[in-house]
Amino acid sequence: MPLILYNTLSRTKEEFHPSTWPAVKMYTCGPTVFRSPHLGNLRSFILADILRRTLEYNGYQVYHVKNITDIGHMEQEHQHPGEDDVALAVEKGAAVAAAVAEFYTGIFHEAEKRLNILPAHNFPQASQHISEVIALIRRLMEQGFAYEVSGTVYFDIGRWPQYGRLSGNRPEELAIHRVEPDPQKRNPADFTLWRRAEPQRVEWWESPWGRGYPGWHIEDSAMMLKHVGEQVDLLVGGVDDIFPHHEDVMAQCEAATEKPLATYWIHGEHLEAEGERMVVIAENVITLEDLVTRGVDPLAFRYLCLTAHYRSKLHFTWESIRAAESALRNLRGKLAEEVEGAQPSSRGQPYVDAFVAAINNDLDMPRALGILWEVVRSALPFEERRKLAGDFDRVLGLGLAHVVPQELPEAALRLIQEREMARSSQDWARSDELRQQLLAMGIEVRDTPQGSRYSPRY
Ligand code: AMP
């Protein structure tokens, strides 16, 4: 069954074919490490993870690169000249920009681990690629795609008629939206490749154009060309990456190499909170640490993400995360217990076929999750259900492969025995008391018409 993916570039669903089967090269826009990643960022990293896992489930061998942006952005519309995110964090009390970046890089890796996100094979850091950035800018200047004015270098979009191919934005329309037109630019929509360092700037590098620092887009282009080469199969990010980031990354790489950069451009919709995109300036940011502080299992967030298609907006509320947590707990509980009336003759293959059809249909994870629930509720024998859940979990990543009916501790078995005796003598008060004691030990109790069921809570 072919894998179908929606390609932002063609604006259609296409069959996936890598340039050299079975190898797949995939690049994901990673975190900016001057703060903890918020749940919105993590939603887009979960998308990259399910895409990679789906490719691997289909037998591809994926090489995944995810960059770490450890030097500042230069979004002129959002910042004052000379400020960048890491430098701002430094001003807010941290000693050294590199230490801030290192600290939050650790937090990012920890968050990915807690969400069962497979680590990329390579996490290049922008700060380690300044010489590659400078070499790429020089190359673009030599080819006539870039020009320098007073120590700042711009990409000349007048020389690149393809500009706007990815996002649909036309340079002439963009010019109208510029807040403050920069008089140095040939065209108001030209973007910065290298910026001259302002006197108060904390982080700067020497360059052929004097002291300065790279534009946000050029770092990614330089890291891509170095670590995945001139052509990549898949480029992944959030929808806000489409413009200007990916449009500019595409222009820089394609102008330099004269080759299409990526075959498939995959963009995930936003996580929202309080009615708008989760983003620092909206002050609606929630982090994984916030979930853990409130006692929520981090994997409940992964489960929540799987309940929505990646091209749909997902609205975060505390009710929705609690509901996701309880669904995940139920799923684990059901997988850990025997089912009444199991039919050894029933087969799992139709479920596998339906699961593959779902994941290969542009990563339809809500449907895939539904099929997992059908398996869990089916009359398939215990071992078969667990085998299927473990197999599906290679894509879903909910930690289901480890769910096994655990041996209950001695002390719990004694309480269960006592509770069964209390129930047979209709001593409901004592039975409830023992239920509470078991709960405190992490054992869930369900009284069914067929008798009581005891399972560890996860
Ligand atoms: P940043 O750390 O801000 O550079 O963002 C890292 C990734 O998170 C980028 O690919 C963004 O597109 C993505 N992203 C940012 N905000 C959201 C959001 N609210 N929902 C989903 N993805 C987001």
Side-chain angles (χ1 to χ4, degrees):
M1 195 169 304
L3 170 60
I4 308 281
L5 294 172
Y6 181 86
N7 190 348
T8 307
L9 185 60
S10 64
R11 293 163 182 76
T12 51
K13 286 189 184 179
E14 293 175 23
E15 256 186 45
F16 176 75
H17 296 290
S19 52
T20 0
W21 191 91
V24 173
K25 290 194 285 185
M26 173 170 156
Y27 188 97
T28 300
C29 278
T32 308
V33 284
F34 64 93
R35 55 165 171 77
S36 295
H38 57 67
L39 297 182
N41 303 135
L42 294 172
R43 183 184 186 200
S44 83
F45 304 147
I46 288 173
L47 159 63
D49 188 58
I50 57 169
L51 173 56
R52 168 173 165 188
R53 287 167 174 267
T54 299
L55 288 160
E56 289 178 347
Y57 192 93
N58 277 276
Y60 294 108
Q61 287 160 16
V62 182
Y63 179 64
H64 187 197
V65 178
K66 186 180 283 183
N67 70 284
I68 305 275
T69 303
D70 59 351
I71 51 182
H73 291 182
M74 290 199 318
E75 283 184 279
Q76 292 158 336
E77 289 82 357
H78 298 143
Q79 286 174 204
H80 304 298
E83 286 182 347
D84 77 31
D85 302 327
V86 177
L88 282 176
V90 170
E91 275 168 31
K92 284 182 185 160
V96 186
V100 176
E102 196 186 324
F103 176 76
Y104 286 110
T105 302
I107 302 249
F108 153 74
H109 286 307
E110 184 57 32
E112 285 218 320
K113 200 165 142 201
R114 290 175 130 173
L115 290 169
N116 275 350
I117 293 175
L118 299 173
H121 301 95
N122 190 349
F123 289 100
Q125 294 165 270
S127 63
Q128 306 306 310
H129 292 80
I130 301 297
S131 58
E132 286 83 355
V133 163
I134 291 173
L136 179 57
I137 297 174
R138 291 179 82 147
R139 184 170 167 187
L140 288 168
M141 288 177 85
E142 280 158 24
Q143 291 165 308
F145 291 112
Y147 59 96
E148 184 221 338
V149 185
S150 320
T152 292
V153 185
Y154 299 99
F155 186 92
D156 186 351
I157 64 168
R159 295 270 292 110
W160 188 248
Q162 297 90 318
Y163 195 81
R165 202 154 59 94
L166 181 68
S167 62
N169 287 331
R170 302 302 311 147
E172 51 285 4
E173 290 157 17
L174 292 172
I176 301 165
H177 299 295
R178 292 278 147 175
V179 185
E180 281 175 52
D182 181 343
Q184 297 195 135
K185 293 182 182 177
R186 290 181 189 165
N187 181 321
D190 290 351
F191 58 90
T192 311
L193 300 175
W194 185 265
R195 180 174 288 278
R196 185 166 72 119
E198 301 77 9
Q200 74 279 19
R201 172 120 190 144
V202 183
E203 254 191 328
W204 49 262
W205 290 266
E206 293 293 358
S207 80
W209 318 285
R211 287 180 178 179
Y213 53 101
W216 166 38
H217 316 299
I218 196 76
E219 304 162 5
D220 269 22
S221 287
M223 289 187 279
M224 273 175 210
L225 294 177
K226 176 161 180 190
H227 295 282
V228 280
E230 295 187 343
Q231 292 186 291
V232 56
D233 294 299
L234 295 144
L235 220 146
V236 188
V239 284
D240 57 292
D241 280 333
I242 299 173
F243 187 84
H245 187 48
H246 282 167
E247 189 74 65
D248 293 358
V249 163
M250 184 187 212
Q252 292 160 160
C253 289
E254 296 191 358
T257 66
E258 296 175 22
K259 289 180 190 151
L261 170 62
T263 321
Y264 304 88
W265 295 76
I266 310 294
H267 293 101
E269 253 300 348
H270 282 149
L271 181 74
E272 297 190 333
E274 298 164 27
E276 55 184 317
R277 172 188 167 194
M278 187 175 285
V279 63
V280 175
I281 47 169
E283 295 183 358
N284 60 355
V285 157
I286 296 166
T287 64
L288 205 61
E289 294 107 271
D290 294 332
L291 297 193
V292 173
T293 308
R294 293 216 194 180
V296 176
D297 178 348
L299 285 178
F301 180 64
R302 188 173 174 110
Y303 187 100
L304 181 65
C305 289
L306 295 173
T307 63
H309 190 265
Y310 76 93
R311 288 196 290 119
S312 307
K313 290 187 169 66
L314 172 62
H315 196 75
F316 178 91
T317 61
W318 287 101
E319 291 72 37
S320 65
I321 192 76
R322 291 282 181 206
E325 185 180 43
S326 124
L328 181 58
R329 193 180 301 142
N330 277 342
L331 189 60
R332 289 167 173 166
K334 288 208 181 313
L335 274 172
E337 71 188 20
E338 297 280 354
V339 72
E340 300 299 319
Q343 293 167 17
S345 59
S346 47
R347 291 171 55 245
Q349 192 55 41
Y351 294 105
V352 176
D353 295 343
F355 182 79
V356 174
I359 60 170
N360 281 8
N361 179 18
D362 196 25
L363 314 178
D364 188 348
M365 294 301 142
R367 176 84 194 107
L369 208 52
I371 292 155
L372 173 64
W373 272 104
E374 282 174 29
V375 166
V376 166
R377 295 193 179 111
S378 71
L380 287 171
F382 178 70
E383 279 310 323
E384 181 71 5
R385 281 190 299 133
R386 276 198 33 220
K387 200 177 90 199
L388 287 174
D391 180 52
F392 296 175
D393 206 46
R394 285 164 52 206
V395 174
L396 302 174
L398 293 169
L400 303 177
H402 311 297
V403 176
V404 288
Q406 293 177 355
E407 288 288 311
L408 297 179
E410 248 327 288
L413 291 175
R414 272 200 301 275
L415 291 183
I416 289 169
Q417 213 172 24
E418 211 186 312
R419 184 167 184 271
E420 287 302 309
M421 279 162 63
R423 281 174 64 77
S424 61
S425 55
Q426 304 197 342
D427 183 352
W428 308 124
R430 179 71 187 139
S431 155
D432 280 351
E433 211 174 276
L434 289 161
R435 171 203 286 270
Q436 291 310 323
Q437 287 182 30
L438 283 161
L439 257 177
M441 290 177 76
I443 313 271
E444 208 151 53
V445 182
R446 284 192 305 120
D447 295 321
T448 74
Q450 290 82 27
S452 299
R453 299 278 178 269
Y454 302 91
S455 51
R457 287 172 79 180
Y458 295 92

